[in-house]
mmCIF file of all heavy atoms in Angstrom:
data_model
loop_
_atom_site.group_PDB
_atom_site.id
_atom_site.type_symbol
_atom_site.label_atom_id
_atom_site.label_comp_id
_atom_site.label_asym_id
_atom_site.label_seq_id
_atom_site.Cartn_x
_atom_site.Cartn_y
_atom_site.Cartn_z
ATOM 1 N N PRO A 133 109.113 107.065 107.901
ATOM 2 C CA PRO A 133 108.925 107.202 106.456
ATOM 3 C C PRO A 133 110.242 107.154 105.673
ATOM 4 O O PRO A 133 110.276 106.630 104.554
ATOM 5 C CB PRO A 133 108.255 108.566 106.307
ATOM 6 C CG PRO A 133 107.577 108.803 107.599
ATOM 7 C CD PRO A 133 108.480 108.169 108.623
ATOM 8 N N LEU A 134 111.324 107.643 106.256
ATOM 9 C CA LEU A 134 112.614 107.602 105.570
ATOM 10 C C LEU A 134 113.121 106.163 105.448
ATOM 11 O O LEU A 134 113.617 105.766 104.379
ATOM 12 C CB LEU A 134 113.636 108.474 106.302
ATOM 13 C CG LEU A 134 114.946 108.715 105.575
ATOM 14 C CD1 LEU A 134 114.710 109.306 104.190
ATOM 15 C CD2 LEU A 134 115.845 109.623 106.392
ATOM 16 N N ILE A 135 112.956 105.375 106.494
ATOM 17 C CA ILE A 135 113.347 103.957 106.433
ATOM 18 C C ILE A 135 112.493 103.230 105.390
ATOM 19 O O ILE A 135 113.011 102.452 104.586
ATOM 20 C CB ILE A 135 113.228 103.290 107.822
ATOM 21 C CG1 ILE A 135 114.303 103.845 108.761
ATOM 22 C CG2 ILE A 135 113.333 101.770 107.711
ATOM 23 C CD1 ILE A 135 114.127 103.423 110.210
ATOM 24 N N VAL A 136 111.188 103.491 105.399
ATOM 25 C CA VAL A 136 110.291 102.876 104.410
ATOM 26 C C VAL A 136 110.717 103.286 103.000
ATOM 27 O O VAL A 136 110.761 102.453 102.087
ATOM 28 C CB VAL A 136 108.820 103.248 104.688
ATOM 29 C CG1 VAL A 136 107.922 102.850 103.530
ATOM 30 C CG2 VAL A 136 108.343 102.589 105.980
ATOM 31 N N SER A 137 111.071 104.548 102.820
ATOM 32 C CA SER A 137 111.523 105.049 101.523
ATOM 33 C C SER A 137 112.750 104.285 101.032
ATOM 34 O O SER A 137 112.824 103.876 99.868
ATOM 35 C CB SER A 137 111.841 106.547 101.635
ATOM 36 O OG SER A 137 112.353 107.040 100.438
ATOM 37 N N VAL A 138 113.706 104.069 101.909
ATOM 38 C CA VAL A 138 114.930 103.346 101.548
ATOM 39 C C VAL A 138 114.607 101.885 101.212
ATOM 40 O O VAL A 138 115.106 101.351 100.209
ATOM 41 C CB VAL A 138 115.981 103.444 102.681
ATOM 42 C CG1 VAL A 138 117.153 102.504 102.435
ATOM 43 C CG2 VAL A 138 116.471 104.879 102.836
ATOM 44 N N VAL A 139 113.766 101.249 102.024
ATOM 45 C CA VAL A 139 113.393 99.852 101.767
ATOM 46 C C VAL A 139 112.677 99.733 100.418
ATOM 47 O O VAL A 139 112.990 98.854 99.608
ATOM 48 C CB VAL A 139 112.508 99.299 102.919
ATOM 49 C CG1 VAL A 139 111.877 97.959 102.546
ATOM 50 C CG2 VAL A 139 113.328 99.178 104.192
ATOM 51 N N VAL A 140 111.720 100.614 100.163
ATOM 52 C CA VAL A 140 110.974 100.573 98.902
ATOM 53 C C VAL A 140 111.903 100.862 97.722
ATOM 54 O O VAL A 140 111.829 100.191 96.686
ATOM 55 C CB VAL A 140 109.779 101.553 98.928
ATOM 56 C CG1 VAL A 140 109.148 101.696 97.551
ATOM 57 C CG2 VAL A 140 108.746 101.083 99.936
ATOM 58 N N GLY A 141 112.794 101.819 97.882
ATOM 59 C CA GLY A 141 113.758 102.111 96.823
ATOM 60 C C GLY A 141 114.635 100.912 96.523
ATOM 61 O O GLY A 141 114.901 100.591 95.359
ATOM 62 N N PHE A 142 115.068 100.216 97.573
ATOM 63 C CA PHE A 142 115.897 99.024 97.399
ATOM 64 C C PHE A 142 115.112 97.905 96.722
ATOM 65 O O PHE A 142 115.599 97.261 95.793
ATOM 66 C CB PHE A 142 116.437 98.557 98.763
ATOM 67 C CG PHE A 142 117.244 97.298 98.684
ATOM 68 C CD1 PHE A 142 118.543 97.315 98.194
ATOM 69 C CD2 PHE A 142 116.704 96.090 99.097
ATOM 70 C CE1 PHE A 142 119.292 96.148 98.121
ATOM 71 C CE2 PHE A 142 117.438 94.918 99.021
ATOM 72 C CZ PHE A 142 118.738 94.940 98.532
ATOM 73 N N LEU A 143 113.885 97.648 97.195
ATOM 74 C CA LEU A 143 113.091 96.545 96.661
ATOM 75 C C LEU A 143 112.538 96.814 95.261
ATOM 76 O O LEU A 143 112.480 95.911 94.423
ATOM 77 C CB LEU A 143 111.917 96.240 97.606
ATOM 78 C CG LEU A 143 112.247 95.640 98.964
ATOM 79 C CD1 LEU A 143 110.989 95.529 99.810
ATOM 80 C CD2 LEU A 143 112.900 94.272 98.796
ATOM 81 N N TYR A 144 112.085 98.058 95.033
ATOM 82 C CA TYR A 144 111.311 98.328 93.822
ATOM 83 C C TYR A 144 111.833 99.483 92.970
ATOM 84 O O TYR A 144 111.200 99.832 91.976
ATOM 85 C CB TYR A 144 109.847 98.608 94.203
ATOM 86 C CG TYR A 144 109.188 97.432 94.871
ATOM 87 C CD1 TYR A 144 108.867 97.462 96.224
ATOM 88 C CD2 TYR A 144 108.891 96.279 94.152
ATOM 89 C CE1 TYR A 144 108.256 96.382 96.843
ATOM 90 C CE2 TYR A 144 108.289 95.193 94.766
ATOM 91 C CZ TYR A 144 107.974 95.248 96.102
ATOM 92 O OH TYR A 144 107.378 94.173 96.700
ATOM 93 N N GLY A 145 112.956 100.086 93.337
ATOM 94 C CA GLY A 145 113.483 101.211 92.565
ATOM 95 C C GLY A 145 113.781 100.846 91.121
ATOM 96 O O GLY A 145 113.444 101.580 90.188
ATOM 97 N N GLY A 146 114.412 99.707 90.909
ATOM 98 C CA GLY A 146 114.707 99.255 89.549
ATOM 99 C C GLY A 146 113.444 98.968 88.759
ATOM 100 O O GLY A 146 113.345 99.291 87.567
ATOM 101 N N THR A 147 112.460 98.378 89.426
ATOM 102 C CA THR A 147 111.170 98.108 88.790
ATOM 103 C C THR A 147 110.508 99.413 88.378
ATOM 104 O O THR A 147 109.945 99.509 87.281
ATOM 105 C CB THR A 147 110.258 97.334 89.767
ATOM 106 O OG1 THR A 147 110.893 96.114 90.109
ATOM 107 C CG2 THR A 147 108.897 97.063 89.164
ATOM 108 N N LEU A 148 110.586 100.405 89.251
ATOM 109 C CA LEU A 148 109.994 101.709 88.949
ATOM 110 C C LEU A 148 110.617 102.295 87.687
ATOM 111 O O LEU A 148 109.906 102.703 86.769
ATOM 112 C CB LEU A 148 110.173 102.665 90.129
ATOM 113 C CG LEU A 148 109.680 104.096 89.930
ATOM 114 C CD1 LEU A 148 108.170 104.129 89.734
ATOM 115 C CD2 LEU A 148 110.082 104.968 91.101
ATOM 116 N N LEU A 149 111.929 102.310 87.629
ATOM 117 C CA LEU A 149 112.611 102.901 86.473
ATOM 118 C C LEU A 149 112.333 102.122 85.188
ATOM 119 O O LEU A 149 112.047 102.708 84.152
ATOM 120 C CB LEU A 149 114.109 102.991 86.733
ATOM 121 C CG LEU A 149 114.521 103.930 87.861
ATOM 122 C CD1 LEU A 149 116.018 103.853 88.104
ATOM 123 C CD2 LEU A 149 114.098 105.361 87.564
ATOM 124 N N ALA A 150 112.412 100.806 85.254
ATOM 125 C CA ALA A 150 112.187 99.993 84.063
ATOM 126 C C ALA A 150 110.722 99.992 83.628
ATOM 127 O O ALA A 150 110.425 99.974 82.434
ATOM 128 C CB ALA A 150 112.646 98.560 84.318
ATOM 129 N N GLY A 151 109.816 100.042 84.587
ATOM 130 C CA GLY A 151 108.393 99.903 84.282
ATOM 131 C C GLY A 151 107.741 101.100 83.633
ATOM 132 O O GLY A 151 106.665 100.974 83.049
ATOM 133 N N VAL A 152 108.357 102.276 83.726
ATOM 134 C CA VAL A 152 107.751 103.472 83.135
ATOM 135 C C VAL A 152 108.319 103.784 81.750
ATOM 136 O O VAL A 152 107.893 104.754 81.118
ATOM 137 C CB VAL A 152 107.899 104.711 84.058
ATOM 138 C CG1 VAL A 152 107.204 104.463 85.389
ATOM 139 C CG2 VAL A 152 109.348 105.091 84.268
ATOM 140 N N MET A 153 109.248 102.973 81.281
ATOM 141 C CA MET A 153 109.823 103.183 79.955
ATOM 142 C C MET A 153 108.870 102.669 78.880
ATOM 143 O O MET A 153 108.320 101.573 79.006
ATOM 144 C CB MET A 153 111.166 102.450 79.827
ATOM 145 C CG MET A 153 112.222 102.955 80.757
ATOM 146 S SD MET A 153 112.617 104.664 80.319
ATOM 147 C CE MET A 153 113.492 105.167 81.763
ATOM 148 N N PRO A 154 108.680 103.461 77.814
ATOM 149 C CA PRO A 154 107.792 103.023 76.725
ATOM 150 C C PRO A 154 108.252 101.708 76.118
ATOM 151 O O PRO A 154 109.439 101.502 75.895
ATOM 152 C CB PRO A 154 107.906 104.160 75.706
ATOM 153 C CG PRO A 154 108.344 105.335 76.497
ATOM 154 C CD PRO A 154 109.208 104.793 77.597
ATOM 155 N N ARG A 155 107.298 100.834 75.900
ATOM 156 C CA ARG A 155 107.559 99.540 75.269
ATOM 157 C C ARG A 155 106.589 99.376 74.113
ATOM 158 O O ARG A 155 105.412 99.120 74.325
ATOM 159 C CB ARG A 155 107.362 98.408 76.259
ATOM 160 C CG ARG A 155 108.317 98.436 77.414
ATOM 161 C CD ARG A 155 108.050 97.257 78.304
ATOM 162 N NE ARG A 155 108.409 97.610 79.667
ATOM 163 C CZ ARG A 155 108.165 96.859 80.701
ATOM 164 N NH1 ARG A 155 107.527 95.731 80.555
ATOM 165 N NH2 ARG A 155 108.529 97.234 81.900
ATOM 166 N N LEU A 156 107.096 99.508 72.934
ATOM 167 C CA LEU A 156 106.250 99.376 71.754
ATOM 168 C C LEU A 156 105.967 97.904 71.472
ATOM 169 O O LEU A 156 106.820 97.052 71.676
ATOM 170 C CB LEU A 156 106.905 100.044 70.558
ATOM 171 C CG LEU A 156 107.213 101.541 70.740
ATOM 172 C CD1 LEU A 156 107.969 102.072 69.542
ATOM 173 C CD2 LEU A 156 105.934 102.323 70.969
ATOM 174 N N GLY A 157 104.774 97.632 71.009
ATOM 175 C CA GLY A 157 104.398 96.277 70.627
ATOM 176 C C GLY A 157 104.214 95.322 71.794
ATOM 177 O O GLY A 157 104.341 94.125 71.631
ATOM 178 N N THR A 158 103.915 95.841 72.958
ATOM 179 C CA THR A 158 103.708 94.985 74.125
ATOM 180 C C THR A 158 102.346 95.275 74.748
ATOM 181 O O THR A 158 101.780 96.338 74.542
ATOM 182 C CB THR A 158 104.821 95.200 75.175
ATOM 183 O OG1 THR A 158 104.588 94.332 76.279
ATOM 184 C CG2 THR A 158 104.859 96.623 75.677
ATOM 185 N N GLN A 159 101.852 94.318 75.481
ATOM 186 C CA GLN A 159 100.573 94.488 76.169
ATOM 187 C C GLN A 159 100.741 95.155 77.536
ATOM 188 O O GLN A 159 99.772 95.480 78.184
ATOM 189 C CB GLN A 159 99.912 93.118 76.351
ATOM 190 C CG GLN A 159 99.605 92.417 75.056
ATOM 191 C CD GLN A 159 98.150 92.499 74.693
ATOM 192 O OE1 GLN A 159 97.309 92.626 75.551
ATOM 193 N NE2 GLN A 159 97.857 92.427 73.416
ATOM 194 N N VAL A 160 101.982 95.333 77.981
ATOM 195 C CA VAL A 160 102.246 95.938 79.287
ATOM 196 C C VAL A 160 101.871 97.420 79.244
ATOM 197 O O VAL A 160 102.273 98.154 78.340
ATOM 198 C CB VAL A 160 103.729 95.779 79.683
ATOM 199 C CG1 VAL A 160 104.046 96.536 80.954
ATOM 200 C CG2 VAL A 160 104.071 94.307 79.823
ATOM 201 N N SER A 161 101.110 97.851 80.233
ATOM 202 C CA SER A 161 100.664 99.246 80.287
ATOM 203 C C SER A 161 101.741 100.117 80.936
ATOM 204 O O SER A 161 101.587 100.596 82.052
ATOM 205 C CB SER A 161 99.350 99.348 81.069
ATOM 206 O OG SER A 161 98.916 100.694 81.129
ATOM 207 N N TRP A 162 102.816 100.349 80.186
ATOM 208 C CA TRP A 162 103.888 101.194 80.714
ATOM 209 C C TRP A 162 103.372 102.590 81.017
ATOM 210 O O TRP A 162 103.823 103.234 81.966
ATOM 211 C CB TRP A 162 105.070 101.250 79.743
ATOM 212 C CG TRP A 162 104.715 101.874 78.419
ATOM 213 C CD1 TRP A 162 104.304 101.220 77.297
ATOM 214 C CD2 TRP A 162 104.705 103.265 78.114
ATOM 215 N NE1 TRP A 162 104.022 102.127 76.302
ATOM 216 C CE2 TRP A 162 104.266 103.395 76.774
ATOM 217 C CE3 TRP A 162 105.012 104.413 78.835
ATOM 218 C CZ2 TRP A 162 104.135 104.633 76.147
ATOM 219 C CZ3 TRP A 162 104.885 105.639 78.206
ATOM 220 C CH2 TRP A 162 104.445 105.738 76.866
ATOM 221 N N ASP A 163 102.401 103.064 80.229
ATOM 222 C CA ASP A 163 101.848 104.386 80.479
ATOM 223 C C ASP A 163 100.980 104.392 81.740
ATOM 224 O O ASP A 163 100.948 105.379 82.475
ATOM 225 C CB ASP A 163 101.102 104.955 79.271
ATOM 226 C CG ASP A 163 100.269 103.947 78.505
ATOM 227 O OD1 ASP A 163 100.353 102.741 78.788
ATOM 228 O OD2 ASP A 163 99.544 104.364 77.587
#
Side-chain angles (χ1 to χ4, degrees):
L134 190 55
I135 291 170
V136 169
S137 176
V138 170
V139 168
V140 170
F142 177 76
L143 291 175
Y144 298 110
T147 300
L148 176 64
L149 295 175
V152 299
M153 296 295 165
R155 296 181 209 172
L156 302 175
T158 181
Q159 299 257 333
V160 174
S161 180
W162 63 267
D163 40 352

